[in-house]
Amino acid sequence: ELKVEQNPLFLSMQEGKNYTIYCNYSTTSDRLYWYRQDPGKSLESLFVLLSNGAVKQEGRLMASLDTKARLSTLHITAAVHDLSATYFCAVGIYTSGTYKYIFGTGTRLKVLA
Amino acid sequence: DTAVSQTPKYLVTQMGNDKSIKCEQNLGHDTMYWYKQDSKKFLKIMFSYNNKELIINETVPNRFSPKSPDKAHLNLHINSLELGDSAVYFCASSRTFLGRESSYEQYFGPGTRLTVT
């Protein structure tokens, strides 16, 4: 069974600090998605990583993908309060004739002023 | 213009009732999904339809019945609601998987918070 694990599950950090969220998955995939979810809101797409070694950056967030290690990271640089949200990674796999998205457990990030 | 819309946004009902949630997308996608997000924020796929055809049916009680009248709409009907059905239900859509060229990004609706009392 495909598993997608994120760590940490909860992250409380001070403004201005750097941190990394890790996403490990258990089967071959070459698409990895990162989403942000604010409390009571929907999921907003942040990044789509399509190949091994892919790196994408948007503002203070940078995502990377290592398909050999089955690992993606979401790095936060100089965190600000507005980044407080739950972050999900998801793996896209094509199996049994269909394309599925398997979500990680989510990382709840709180940035303290 | 809202890309993926759901109604209602909130649904409070009693155990044993039957309720429906509607979803519409105007992105021209031909694959649509229903997800359930529980109180711990865990997101799990329930169903997927491609061009009105059911293609993913995870281990969901048969009290849940999706219906897709056309490729822009995917509704979810729930019979005999139970306390454990309380959750946020998200609809999403994407393009059909055709090969390795594209991202197959999913777009999510705003969610329907279902509370069963």
Side-chain angles (χ1 to χ4, degrees):
Chain A
E1 182 190 345
L2 172 62
K3 288 187 179 177
V4 182
E5 295 180 339
Q6 284 180 240
N7 69 82
L9 296 183
F10 298 95
L11 176 56
S12 181
M13 57 192 296
Q14 297 286 334
E15 275 194 329
K17 299 291 187 184
N18 303 334
Y19 209 84
T20 300
I21 299 170
Y22 296 89
C23 174
N24 288 91
Y25 53 98
S26 61
T27 194
T28 302
S29 170
D30 53 13
R31 284 183 189 81
L32 195 295
Y33 306 85
W34 283 97
Y35 293 88
R36 169 182 172 145
Q37 186 180 33
D38 291 301
K41 302 289 186 184
S42 185
L43 279 80
E44 172 194 353
S45 178
L46 293 174
F47 301 108
V48 182
L49 302 168
L50 297 181
S51 60
N52 186 41
V55 177
K56 288 198 174 177
Q57 182 160 5
E58 179 78 33
R60 300 174 188 273
L61 300 176
M62 184 174 72
S64 66
L65 178 61
D66 181 343
T67 57
K68 292 177 183 172
R70 296 180 185 171
L71 170 69
S72 179
T73 61
L74 181 66
H75 187 73
I76 303 155
T77 302
V80 293
H81 180 71
D82 284 352
L83 289 178
S84 297
T86 299
Y87 293 85
F88 291 93
C89 66
V91 168
I93 58 168
Y94 187 71
T95 178
S96 304
T98 65
Y99 191 75
K100 293 173 73 168
Y101 304 81
I102 311 297
F103 280 78
T105 46
T107 296
R108 201 171 298 188
L109 171 66
K110 189 170 185 178
V111 181
L112 305 171
Chain B
D1 276 348
T2 304
V4 183
S5 59
Q6 291 178 232
T7 53
K9 188 163 183 177
Y10 300 96
L11 189 49
V12 181
T13 188
Q14 291 184 327
M15 282 174 55
N17 285 348
D18 304 338
K19 290 292 178 187
S20 292
I21 307 171
K22 295 187 175 184
C23 177
E24 177 180 359
Q25 55 94 5
N26 62 7
L27 296 166
H29 292 161
D30 38 26
T31 304
M32 296 183 72
Y33 310 80
W34 278 112
Y35 288 89
K36 178 179 180 180
Q37 186 173 46
D38 61 25
S39 58
K40 294 183 179 177
K41 299 287 191 184
F42 188 65
L43 202 65
K44 187 169 165 52
I45 191 164
M46 300 171 69
F47 301 104
S48 174
Y49 268 74
N50 179 266
N51 278 318
K52 304 193 294 176
E53 181 183 344
L54 181 66
I55 56 171
I56 294 175
N57 184 351
E58 296 294 306
T59 49
V60 176
N62 57 16
R63 297 181 294 103
F64 290 79
S65 52
K67 280 205 177 126
S68 181
D70 56 61
K71 72 175 192 178
H73 295 84
L74 180 61
N75 304 322
L76 183 65
H77 188 76
I78 315 169
N79 288 326
S80 304
L81 278 154
E82 300 178 357
L83 292 176
D85 297 332
S86 295
V88 181
Y89 292 85
F90 285 100
C91 176
S93 72
S94 73
R95 287 178 52 215
T96 302
F97 182 84
L98 294 174
R100 291 179 163 262
E101 316 82 42
S102 181
S103 65
Y104 302 105
E105 200 167 348
Q106 275 192 310
Y107 294 82
F108 281 81
T112 296
R113 183 174 294 274
L114 172 64
T115 303
V116 183
T117 61

